[in-house]
Amino acid sequence: MNNDIFKEKLKLAELNKTTFAELVGTSGQAVNNWNTNGREIPYWVESWLNLYIENKKCKKLKQLIKDAGVCN
């Protein structure tokens, strides 16, 4: 994953680097250092963000269904 894709995924997830760092248990400085001085973005970040985004969509859909009274 390159830095442009990382930024786009963060945007889709509605996260900034600081919040992302808190969620995954690392420092904001560590996240900021990715893609600098030969430090690559860890392999797991893309799949983590994909799952986070998908989960967020599912939660929104679940709330819409609940609000519509479809499952009452």
Side-chain angles (χ1 to χ4, degrees):
M1 170 190 287
N2 65 36
N3 203 40
D4 291 334
I5 293 171
F6 178 55
K7 287 178 183 178
E8 181 61 29
K9 297 274 185 185
L10 284 176
K11 185 177 178 181
L12 288 171
E14 300 175 347
L15 296 172
N16 59 39
K17 288 182 178 181
T18 301
T19 305
F20 171 78
E22 290 170 2
L23 288 171
V24 300
T26 192
S27 70
Q29 186 62 41
V31 173
N32 284 328
N33 285 338
W34 293 344
N35 268 352
T36 61
N37 299 324
R39 294 182 184 105
E40 294 182 7
I41 295 172
Y43 71 93
W44 55 266
V45 172
E46 187 169 14
S47 61
W48 190 98
L49 284 168
N50 288 338
L51 289 170
Y52 184 89
I53 293 164
E54 189 65 27
N55 187 48
K56 195 168 193 155
K57 289 178 187 176
C58 289
K59 285 182 178 182
K60 287 179 182 179
L61 181 58
K62 183 179 175 182
Q63 188 62 48
L64 287 171
I65 292 169
K66 183 179 176 182
D67 292 347
V70 174
C71 294
N72 290 340

